[in-house]
Amino acid sequence: MSAHFPTVALIGKPDAERIAETLSELYRYLVQRGLRTLVEKDCAEFVTGLVAETGSFAEIGEQCDLAIVIGGDGTLLTAARYLAQFDIPLIGVNLGRLGFLVDISPSEVVARLGEILDGRYSAEERFILRAKVYRHGQVAYQQTAINEVVVHSWNRASMIEIETYIDGVFLNSQRSDGMIVSTPTGSTAYALSAGGPILSPTLKAIVLAPINPHALSNRPIVVADDSIIEIAFRPSKQFKAQVVCDNVSIPNIEISDRIEIRKEAKPFRILHPLNYDFFGILRAKLNWSSGYR
């Protein structure tokens, strides 16, 4: 039995290619090592030939020491939002395209997982953002985000006008399609397409990237990770905006609402094999240095 992680959870993306094959292989391997193994209930049917012990995300959080996420980056983001409060480290197994978070391929998953279970791994802590929508001085909605909080116009034909404050100090006002507030983890996601910089994953910083600003002088800016970011809306006749935290939408934003975004107290942890190379993933994912050796 692994002294490091005696109880392990398996969380999969039900519609991922090869999910049954990979999930079943991992379940058998973990059980053979003498580990108690819980399979997230929505993907338990893909463990073939065995009756697996199942659990909800809440039960996994309360009982497990490690979660293995099988799918893509989006699957890991969902698991991290649920499990960060329980301080459970995550491992990502990639069943889709090369991922920034799910970095272990199915072909080497048993070997790499064995190393991690034996205590040979590198660990990263990555922070999470929490967005709160204040209405008439009260919190109307709130949600967490691993990658980014996006404030954007619902109407593609018209921009929104926003004012941004950092720690209570006015930064700027702008007309644009919206604003992306990104963690370093999310700097390779939506913020990258908006012209934001790529940040090293453990950097203590937040990116603010405008989406299609009317004035080209409105550029992405990087602030400290402990900054409190506030976004307010300026009067507009055709106002219709939305706030999205990763893939979770906060509906019914009103023009008088104020959006507050700050770092969560608890980060989430990712475990990597010792040969993990973030810059190598960047080169492969973004097709850098092709044709060079």
Side-chain angles (χ1 to χ4, degrees), residues 222-276:
V222 178
V223 299
D225 69 331
D226 59 355
S227 299
I228 300 172
I229 299 156
E230 296 177 70
I231 295 175
F233 303 101
R234 304 190 73 178
S236 173
K237 293 181 180 179
Q238 297 180 326
F239 176 83
K240 195 172 185 181
Q242 185 179 32
V243 176
V244 181
C245 299
D246 291 341
N247 59 351
V248 179
S249 298
I250 298 177
N252 304 322
I253 300 300
E254 299 181 1
I255 198 166
S256 60
D257 290 347
R258 180 172 57 87
I259 318 301
E260 179 191 273
I261 303 165
R262 66 170 74 194
K263 182 176 71 173
E264 277 277 83
K266 280 190 174 182
F268 74 101
R269 288 186 291 153
I270 302 181
L271 306 186
H272 300 291
L274 290 177
N275 67 345
Y276 171 73

Side-chain angles (χ1 to χ4, degrees), residues 29-235:
Y29 173 73
L30 293 169
V31 170
Q32 287 171 1
R33 285 188 63 120
L35 303 177
R36 182 188 174 207
T37 306
L38 270 69
V39 182
E40 198 275 320
K41 61 181 182 180
D42 290 339
C43 59
E45 64 182 282
F46 297 102
V47 178
T48 57
L50 293 171
V51 178
E53 184 179 359
T54 65
S56 64
F57 272 103
E59 291 167 331
I60 287 171
E62 292 166 355
Q63 300 177 44
C64 292
D65 307 293
L66 174 71
I68 302 170
V69 181
I70 307 155
D73 281 353
T75 311
L76 192 139
L77 292 178
T78 299
R81 280 201 304 270
Y82 278 107
L83 298 177
Q85 60 183 310
F86 299 101
D87 196 29
I88 296 176
L90 307 175
I91 297 173
V93 178
N94 177 28
L95 289 188
R97 295 171 294 178
L98 176 66
F100 286 103
L101 297 173
V102 287
D103 57 304
I104 300 177
S105 70
S107 62
E108 60 179 8
V109 63
V110 170
R112 297 304 180 199
L113 183 56
E115 295 172 0
I116 293 174
L117 292 174
D118 289 335
R120 302 193 301 275
Y121 57 83
S122 63
E124 286 183 343
E125 283 195 350
R126 302 193 182 190
F127 69 83
I128 302 170
L129 295 175
R130 179 173 293 275
K132 294 181 179 181
V133 178
Y134 282 89
R135 182 171 300 162
H136 309 305
Q138 303 294 322
V139 177
Y141 303 98
Q142 60 178 306
Q143 184 56 260
T144 57
I146 305 292
N147 269 348
E148 73 267 316
V149 177
V150 183
V151 181
H152 69 90
S153 171
W154 258 14
N155 185 351
R156 294 184 179 182
S158 63
M159 295 181 169
I160 55 175
E161 298 188 47
I162 62 176
E163 295 179 345
T164 304
Y165 299 80
I166 308 295
D167 295 329
V169 178
F170 177 68
L171 172 66
N172 63 13
S173 60
Q174 61 177 268
R175 294 183 69 243
S176 66
D177 288 340
M179 172 77 78
I180 302 167
V181 181
S182 168
T183 65
T185 299
S187 69
T188 52
Y190 192 9
L192 183 63
S193 69
I198 295 174
L199 302 184
S200 181
T202 56
L203 196 65
K204 298 182 184 300
I206 296 173
V207 175
L208 281 69
I211 307 170
N212 300 326
H214 185 264
L216 295 181
S217 57
N218 282 325
R219 309 300 300 164
I221 184 170
V222 178
V223 299
D225 69 331
D226 59 355
S227 299
I228 300 172
I229 299 156
E230 296 177 70
I231 295 175
F233 303 101
R234 304 190 73 178

